[in-house]
Amino acid sequence: MRVMGIDPGSIRTGYGVVEKIGGGSLKAIAYGVLYTPASRPLPERLHKIHQGLKEVIMAYKPEMVVAESIFLARNVRVALSLGQARGAALLTVAEFGLPLYEYSPLEIKQAAVGYGRADKSQIQAMIGILLGLSGKLPPPDAADALAAAVCHLHSFRLKTQLTTKH
């Protein structure tokens, strides 16, 4: 099973593709960050997010996509910008007809790190361990996207086990 995680942002959008392989272990297929300079007009940045995610989907062919659910932001301007970037990402997913799953930041951190209030460096380190990434750790936004995919693979497996036992 191949899952793509997305960590949307108007300046940095992280993505990560994870596959469940033999024995239930997980493997990172691809990950990275789409950078959209704040100096560029918002429509141009949203288009770049859309195009970048489209290329990732076409290249790695995930079966489903996971994104963080909306959270409360203290700054309205930041929340609006994040919402627009998230909208561009979700539109791209819909364009491919892929199923979309959403988890809260707390659920993703809990699944990936075991602690719902983990910081970015803890997520990076644990994702590196869980996915056997040797050497350089993924950038924080890519690690968050990989963590979303890992969260879904763990949750999907549990949900499948629960429904098949009844």
Side-chain angles (χ1 to χ4, degrees):
M1 178 185 309
R2 192 172 279 200
V3 176
M4 178 178 173
I6 301 174
D7 181 38
S10 62
I11 296 172
R12 292 179 312 277
T13 292
Y15 65 87
V17 180
V18 177
E19 188 168 77
K20 181 179 168 189
I21 54 177
S25 59
L26 304 177
K27 178 182 179 184
I29 303 300
Y31 59 86
V33 179
L34 304 171
Y35 294 97
T36 58
S39 61
R40 305 303 309 157
L42 182 62
E44 184 180 309
R45 291 169 31 215
L46 296 176
H47 184 258
K48 185 171 180 178
I49 292 167
H50 170 70
Q51 285 301 117
L53 292 176
K54 193 172 168 178
E55 289 173 14
V56 172
I57 290 170
M58 289 188 301
Y60 300 104
K61 299 178 181 17
E63 298 167 53
M64 54 197 72
V65 178
V66 181
E68 277 189 4
S69 58
I70 295 289
F71 65 93
L72 297 176
R74 293 183 185 149
N75 182 321
V76 174
R77 187 173 287 167
V78 170
L80 285 171
S81 181
L82 176 61
Q84 290 168 325
R86 190 172 186 280
L90 298 185
L91 172 63
T92 307
V93 172
E95 196 173 86
F96 284 88
L98 293 169
L100 174 72
Y101 297 88
E102 297 178 68
Y103 296 90
S104 72
L106 186 78
E107 290 173 308
I108 292 170
K109 291 174 183 181
Q110 183 69 39
V113 181
Y115 175 58
R117 304 270 183 237
D119 64 27
K120 294 244 183 221
S121 65
Q122 291 170 312
I123 295 167
Q124 283 178 283
M126 188 55 83
I127 285 301
I129 293 166
L130 288 173
L131 298 177
L133 302 175
S134 57
K136 190 175 170 185
L137 293 176
D141 300 290
D144 287 351
L146 289 166
V150 166
C151 173
H152 182 68
L153 285 163
H154 287 314
S155 298
F156 190 79
R157 181 173 50 204
L158 179 62
K159 288 177 188 176
T160 303
Q161 288 173 348
L162 292 174
T163 56
T164 57
K165 289 184 179 181
H166 289 99

